[in-house]
Amino acid sequence: MSAPVPTTESASPSTAPADGGAAPWWRPTGTRVLQVAAALVALQLLVRGVVAARGYYYWDDLILTGRAGAMSLLSPEFLLYDHDGHFMPAAFLVAGIANTLAPYQWALPALILVILQALASLAVLRLLVVLLGRRPTLLIPFALYLFSPLTLPAFAWWAAGLNALPMQIGLAAVAADAVLLCRTGRARYAWSSLAVFVASLLFFEKAVLVPLVAFAVVALMYRVDGHRKPLRAALARGRRLWAWSAVVIAGWAVVYALVVTPSPGERTPEMTVELVRHSNYRGLFPTLLGGPWRWDRWPPSPPWAVPPEALVVVAALAVLACVAGTLAWKRRVGWVWIATAAYVLASETAMVIARSSPDTTYELGQTLRYLTDSAVVVAIALALVLRAPTRDRWSGRRSGPRSVLVVSVLVVAFVASSLWSTATFVARWEDNPTVDYLARAKASLVANADAPMLDQPVSIWVLLPVAYPYNMASSVFAALPDRPEFASSTPVLRKMDDSGDIVDAEVTWVRAIGEGPVPGCGYHVTDAPTALPLSGPLAGWEWAVQLNYLASRDGEIEVGLAEGEPVTVPVRAGLNTVYVNLDGGGPDVRVRTLDPELSLCVGVGPVGAVVPKP
């Protein structure tokens, strides 16, 4: 027969008296603790609300909204998309609904981020109450989670927040339910935790770790409580949850394998070591003291932490001192820190495997978004340490006003440091060229909706070519209701410049269609394919062709390069010009009419790139 499991109160006696009893200020009641916690949540949401309001769409956000504007929101093509190795159908759906309701209106994504943050904060508070009871000490890990800049970059970036915040909710909510399931044996905690797990897994594939973390929390809780066989007890008491979680993971793994094509990065031992070192010493550790205080950015990249060297050293020493001090102060907490380090290392390993390449900079680890869920794990670790029994040589000491005051000052200093880091982050995050670009582009598109536009990449300061085809204007602006059609041909050549303004454009003379053999006509085109020789061969690429033509009637023609797929182009009767986008290469342009009664004369014209008119 297994030994009885100590309760939270027996494992670590509460310093708070029963509600309603008289208590000195340094021993607040459980009700007062929850009131302070609620005030901290309100402050956090106020700060994060300002962060969200000062942000805007960035990079992957435009990919999510662009795909939502071009596809059915419930189609497998939309939901089951391999987004750079991510499998996140629920995130796609939320982004799609938001963009459908209010295309490119940032207020709605900002509100969604704040709501998700509120749910995550409340889930963490509930977990801490489950582990520690309503005692003042829970405010220490809770403040760390609420204000640590570790969660800030992922929160501010909508696409990242749709991954990170449901993951944080899942970690906290499932761990709390797992503890309650093992404590009470009530099946409802198994089903509620399973539902939250499935939801978080649909937002972010990393949530596959959620039940593993929940199991670790239960086992470590039993360990610090002095249970003789913590692993066996955790397995036995939560078997319903673990079994169904395994079923969910197995089914999810099959779908993930069918949808996602892994693309492991190229890495060297030196790169791996440096990425891990930068992630910890310049990323994670300073945030545990409220750092990094400073951020840098090369638009269009996201900001990354640039802590002062003094803070890097102090933070590393503080982490070592915290671990060593708690090992000396509390019993049976060694495995808590080992498990925490293992989780952080697993997150960093995933980052190295998926994101390293010869072009990867070490600052990748300092962007913090790959470690953001570690804030929940660190808060859990601190809660388990605080729950653990005190060693004999410390057991006779009780906290008085002086020790409570010292802890309060440290917490306030941490919050102040974190708020400063938040302010400096916002200053860098606001340096987002997408804000002005989209504002000007939307206005320009409305003003130039009278003719189709040739598709083109958006500014490289908004989306780099590596995002193709989602860096194309037809994708980025797919959801806008009042805009010109993006087509493969147009009778009016216009181009969107790097500021987002639409200007008149022309085709450069990289190659040319010369004078044709038919006097007064040039090249006579009928429904038989006609080759229009160029002044030189074209390499395979995307080219613009200016066709100056005289058509016998309205109709359609087919235009293509010698090497490439042709496109269908409408033409109008009379003397006109049409501009055509073509993929391919070769020595000539090939044209034929799609109506036997239609014929064209084609004259001299350029083939090249579309550029603004001088």
Side-chain angles (χ1 to χ4, degrees):
M1 184 175 179
S2 56
V5 180
T7 63
T8 303
E9 289 72 26
S10 63
S12 183
S14 174
T15 59
D19 291 354
W25 65 266
W26 67 88
R27 293 181 186 171
T29 63
T31 299
R32 182 59 57 84
V33 169
L34 292 184
Q35 290 172 344
V36 173
L40 291 175
V41 171
L43 176 60
Q44 184 219 25
L45 295 181
L46 175 63
V47 172
R48 290 295 170 94
V50 172
V51 173
R54 302 275 289 272
Y56 198 63
Y57 297 97
Y58 167 74
W59 197 273
D60 287 31
D61 302 343
L62 303 179
I63 298 175
L64 269 60
T65 54
R67 295 184 72 251
M71 303 176 188
S72 169
L73 298 190
L74 298 180
S75 66
E77 180 187 13
F78 178 68
L79 296 176
L80 304 182
Y81 173 63
D82 177 0
H83 182 59
D84 199 18
H86 292 305
F87 180 58
M88 40 190 273
F92 288 140
L93 184 60
V94 170
I97 292 172
N99 199 54
T100 300
L101 293 175
Y104 288 107
Q105 299 297 316
W106 178 247
L108 186 52
L111 178 62
I112 291 171
L113 288 172
V114 173
I115 291 173
L116 288 174
Q117 181 62 77
L119 294 175
S121 299
L122 294 175
V124 171
L125 175 60
R126 174 174 175 258
L127 172 60
L128 296 177
V129 170
V130 167
L131 290 175
L132 292 173
R134 294 184 297 173
R135 63 189 63 191
T137 51
L138 76 79
L139 298 175
I140 298 173
F142 192 45
L144 175 69
Y145 168 76
L146 290 179
F147 297 103
S148 172
L150 183 59
T151 63
L152 183 59
F155 166 83
W157 184 356
W158 188 31
L162 289 175
N163 293 152
L165 291 167
M167 171 79 174
Q168 295 169 35
I169 294 169
L171 286 171
V174 175
D177 277 352
V179 172
L180 292 172
L181 170 65
C182 295
R183 182 181 295 169
T184 67
R186 295 175 184 170
R188 67 184 180 90
Y189 292 118
W191 303 123
S192 61
S193 58
L194 194 66
V196 174
F197 169 48
V198 171
S200 61
L201 193 57
L202 292 176
F203 277 93
F204 191 21
E205 71 279 352
K206 191 179 178 181
V208 71
L209 298 176
V210 163
L212 302 179
V213 171
F215 174 79
V217 170
V218 175
L220 290 170
M221 179 188 70
Y222 285 159
R223 167 71 179 169
V224 300
D225 286 353
H227 200 290
R228 290 180 299 178
K229 297 179 179 179
L231 292 177
R232 181 178 296 181
L235 280 171
R237 293 172 181 268
R239 59 186 177 276
R240 183 184 287 108
L241 173 58
W242 317 135
W244 280 107
S245 296
V247 171
V248 169
I249 292 173
W252 170 88
V254 172
V255 178
Y256 183 85
L258 293 173
V259 171
V260 177
T261 302
S263 54
E266 302 175 27
R267 54 199 172 277
T268 63
E270 178 186 2
M271 175 180 292
T272 299
V273 170
E274 285 301 312
L275 280 173
V276 171
R277 187 175 71 84
H278 278 250
S279 297
N280 289 321
Y281 289 100
R282 297 186 176 276
L284 173 63
F285 292 171
T287 66
L288 301 179
L289 294 186
W293 302 342
R294 298 188 314 213
W295 307 82
D296 202 354
R297 188 181 191 187
W298 302 331
S301 70
W304 63 84
V306 188
E309 289 299 325
L311 178 60
V312 172
V313 174
V314 171
L317 293 176
V319 169
L320 291 175
C322 178
V323 174
T326 54
L327 289 173
W329 175 39
K330 293 284 191 172
R331 300 168 58 191
R332 300 186 291 271
V333 297
W335 280 105
V336 173
W337 294 123
I338 292 173
T340 303
Y343 186 90
V344 171
L345 184 60
S347 297
E348 292 168 345
T349 300
M351 174 189 69
V352 170
I353 291 174
R355 296 291 178 254
S356 58
S357 73
D359 298 325
T360 299
T361 62
Y362 299 142
E363 286 78 9
L364 176 70
Q366 295 164 231
T367 61
L368 303 181
R369 66 182 184 273
Y370 297 99
L371 297 176
T372 186
D373 42 284
S374 298
V376 178
V377 174
V378 172
I380 293 171
L382 287 176
L384 290 170
V385 168
L386 292 170
R387 178 188 175 95
T390 305
R391 292 189 182 275
D392 293 341
R393 61 178 175 274
W394 299 93
S395 59
R397 306 185 183 185
R398 296 181 62 85
S399 61
R402 180 178 298 179
S403 59
V404 172
L405 183 61
V406 170
V407 172
S408 300
V409 169
L410 291 176
V411 170
V412 170
F414 168 77
V415 172
S417 175
S418 299
L419 293 178
W420 175 251
S421 293
T422 301
T424 55
F425 173 86
V426 169
R428 298 300 290 155
W429 184 239
E430 283 185 310
D431 182 18
N432 184 0
T434 306
V435 179
D436 292 335
Y437 181 85
L438 282 187
R440 298 174 75 99
K442 287 189 289 185
S444 295
L445 288 167
V446 171
N448 290 275
D450 57 320
M453 283 188 65
L454 295 184
D455 203 4
Q456 59 180 291
V458 298
S459 169
I460 61 170
W461 301 109
V462 174
L463 275 175
L464 290 174
V466 296
Y468 181 85
Y470 300 112
N471 69 319
M472 302 300 290
S474 59
S475 174
V476 171
F477 300 108
L480 292 180
D482 300 319
R483 61 169 176 80
E485 177 189 0
F486 290 99
S488 57
S489 65
T490 180
V492 181
L493 190 60
R494 295 167 176 152
K495 181 177 178 62
M496 188 178 296
D497 62 21
D498 278 347
S499 68
D501 290 328
I502 294 178
V503 298
D504 292 334
E506 62 185 11
V507 179
T508 59
W509 291 75
V510 175
R511 295 287 186 265
I513 299 170
E515 294 185 5
V518 181
C521 178
Y523 291 96
H524 185 236
V525 178
T526 63
D527 58 346
T530 302
L532 315 182
L534 298 174
S535 57
L538 288 171
W541 196 249
E542 183 177 276
W543 302 101
V545 178
Q546 179 178 322
L547 288 180
N548 301 311
Y549 68 89
L550 175 64
S552 62
R553 58 186 295 175
D554 290 350
E556 292 183 329
I557 62 175
E558 188 177 80
V559 183
L561 292 169
E563 302 166 2
E565 293 296 321
V567 299
T568 299
V569 178
V571 294
R572 296 175 295 167
L575 185 61
N576 295 288
T577 297
V578 67
Y579 305 89
V580 186
N581 259 352
L582 295 176
D583 285 327
D588 54 52
V589 177
R590 300 182 181 183
V591 185
R592 72 180 182 93
T593 66
L594 298 180
D595 181 351
E597 298 183 5
L598 170 66
S599 64
L600 276 75
C601 291
V602 178
V604 176
V607 178
V610 178
V611 297
K613 279 187 176 180

